[in-house]
Amino acid sequence: GNLRGFAKVTRDITQRKQSQERRELEMLRDAVRARDEFLSVASHELKTPLTPLQLKLTALLRTVENNPSATLPVERISRDLEVARRQVRKLSDLIEDLLDVSRISMGQLRLDRAPMDLASLARDVVARYAPQSAQVGCVVTLEAPTPTPGHWDRSRVDQVITNLLTNALKYGAGKPVHIRVRMEAGLAVLSVRDEGIGIPMEDQPRVFERFVRAVSERNYGGLGLGLFITQQIIEAHNGIVQVRSAPGEGSTFTVMLPPGPDLPPEPGAGAPPE
Ligand code: ADP
C-alpha cells in the first residue's frame, strides 16, 4: 500500500513538473515571437524613411552635377531638401524613442523640474505643429481658461503633449482636434480629443504597454512606443494618463498632473510665516 502510494505521489510530481515545463516553454516561445515581431516592425519602420531620403539625395546630387553653372533649380532643390530633412527627423525621433525605452527599463528617466505653465507649453506645441496640422487638413483648437502652474520637467511634458497631439493628427482622420487645459481639484488636467478612427474596447487597456499597437491601426506605421513613454513620464511626475475612446467616433487622452514638490521660494519672496 505504501509503495503504491509512493508511486502515485511520484507520478503526480512528474506530471506537475512536466506541465510546468510545458508552460515555461510556451512562455519562452511567446517571448521569442514578440522579440522577432518587434525586430521586424522596428527594421521596417527604420528603413521606411530611408527610401525617400536616398531618392531625394540622389536626385539632388544629379541636379548639382548636371548644372555646374548658376542655373540651379533652387525651388526644386529646396523642396527635395525639405523632404530629406523630414525623413531624417523621423529616423532620429524613432531612435530617440528606442533610447527612451532603454533609459526607462534601466530606471534612468530623470526629471529636471522647474516652475512652468502647462497651458502655455500646450500653446507652444500647437503652434509648432501648425504646418503639420494644416497639411492633414486638421484644425486644432486650444482652450485654456486659467493659468495651470506647476513644477514639471518642461522638455518631458513637451514630449507628452507632442505625442498626444501627433497621434491625434495621425489617427484623427483630418477632423478637428480639441485640446483643453484646466485646473481640477488641485491637479493640472490636459486633454486631447480627436474625432478619428478610435480604439477598439479590447485594445484600450493595452495601448500604454510598450510595442502595443491597436490591431486595426497596423497600416498607420509606428513602433507603439509613444504612449508607453508618455505614461512613464506622467507617472514619474506622480500623475495619471487615461484614454476614453469609441471606434469610429474618436479618442480623448487625459493627463492629470499634481503641481509637484514646492521649490525654494523665489529670491525676495520673504520668509514664510511662522
Ligand atoms: P504608435 O507609434 O503606433 O502611434 P503609440 O504608443 O503612440 O504608438 O500608440 C499606440 C497605439 O495606440 C497606436 O498604434 C494606435 O493603435 C493607438 N492610438 C494612439 N493614439 C490614438 C488615437 N488618437 N486614435 C486612435 N488610436 C490611437
Side-chain angles (χ1 to χ4, degrees), residues 163-164 167-168 170-172 194 197-199 207 209 212-215 217 221-228 245 251 253:
N163 273 340
L164 297 180
N167 274 351
K170 181 169 160 189
Y171 302 110
D194 67 63
I197 58 177
I199 305 170
V207 288
E209 291 172 25
V212 167
R213 308 182 47 222
V215 193
E217 274 71 276
L223 280 180
L225 294 179
L227 287 181
F228 169 71
S245 183
S251 312
F253 285 85

Side-chain angles (χ1 to χ4, degrees), residues 163-178:
N163 273 340
L164 297 180
L165 175 60
T166 51
N167 274 351
L169 294 176
K170 181 169 160 189
Y171 302 110
K175 305 232 182 81
V177 168
H178 187 63

